[in-house]
Amino acid sequence: MVGENAVRYPHLLAEVRKRGHRVGNHTYNHLGGFQSFDRQYISNAQKAEEILKTGKLFRPPHGWMSPLQYRRMLRDSWNIVMWDVLTRDYNHTVSAAWVFANVRKYTRPGSIITFHDSLKSIGKLRIILPDTITWLKNQGYEFKVL
Ligand SMILES: [Zn+2]
């Protein structure tokens, strides 16, 4: 979750937690690691952490961060979590059906699947997420909290 969105929509942060999900830190304002100085990047994540209180569970925007940012965050006990299935739901050139096929093709035990709640993807997400969850359950997958 992006920190500034949690400030804007605190009821959503509370609702996510109430439903038993774990919240991860995705910086304060979706800052890219290669677009910022190391100290700025880490303090941006810390600013988000003050709001989100994730226990330092962090996913870098775009999956990018510099080697120095990575090392400093590990040194400061951040848990950096990536993914192995990127749905590309944000891509305007792919359909909801394509996203669903992509998930079916690449998901395996232990997968972390990345969907997005942005305006670019929400139309597809509303169609595909319920079908994806149903399909995964029918395949015998379970959902676990990190
Ligand atoms: Zn992101």
Side-chain angles (χ1 to χ4, degrees), residues 1-10 12-13 28-29 52 117:
M1 195 172 281
V2 174
E4 70 179 3
N5 286 343
V7 169
R8 242 182 254 148
Y9 310 105
L12 290 178
L13 173 60
Y28 186 78
N29 57 351
L52 299 169
D117 61 355

Side-chain angles (χ1 to χ4, degrees), residues 6-133:
V7 169
R8 242 182 254 148
Y9 310 105
H11 62 286
L12 290 178
L13 173 60
E15 183 68 24
V16 166
R17 287 213 163 97
K18 190 175 137 195
R19 292 183 182 209
H21 299 284
R22 185 160 180 206
V23 173
N25 183 327
H26 200 44
T27 72
Y28 186 78
N29 57 351
H30 210 260
L31 186 65
F34 292 152
Q35 301 157 337
S36 56
F37 294 109
D38 298 331
R39 279 191 187 172
Q40 176 194 15
Y41 187 74
I42 292 166
S43 72
N44 187 287
Q46 287 167 335
K47 182 178 178 184
E49 188 63 22
E50 289 167 18
I51 296 154
L52 299 169
K53 301 183 184 349
T54 69
K56 292 189 166 183
L57 185 69
F58 183 74
R59 181 166 76 84
H62 314 289
W64 303 332
M65 58 195 314
S66 75
L68 187 60
Q69 292 162 355
Y70 182 74
R71 282 195 303 271
R72 284 190 176 162
M73 291 186 86
L74 288 181
R75 185 195 64 203
D76 294 342
S77 304
W78 288 85
N79 298 297
I80 299 166
V81 179
M82 302 299 267
W83 63 88
D84 66 310
V85 180
L86 183 63
T87 62
R88 303 197 188 285
D89 55 355
Y90 52 81
N91 186 329
H92 73 279
T93 66
V94 303
S95 66
W98 188 93
V99 172
F100 188 33
N102 195 35
V103 171
R104 291 193 316 263
K105 182 175 180 182
Y106 292 107
T107 299
R108 60 182 194 262
S111 278
I112 296 177
I113 304 168
T114 302
F115 285 97
H116 299 83
D117 61 355
S118 67
L119 292 174
K120 286 189 269 184
S121 60
I122 196 68
K124 275 178 248 178
L125 193 66
R126 286 197 172 115
I127 296 167
I128 212 65
L129 192 56
D131 290 347
T132 301
I133 291 170

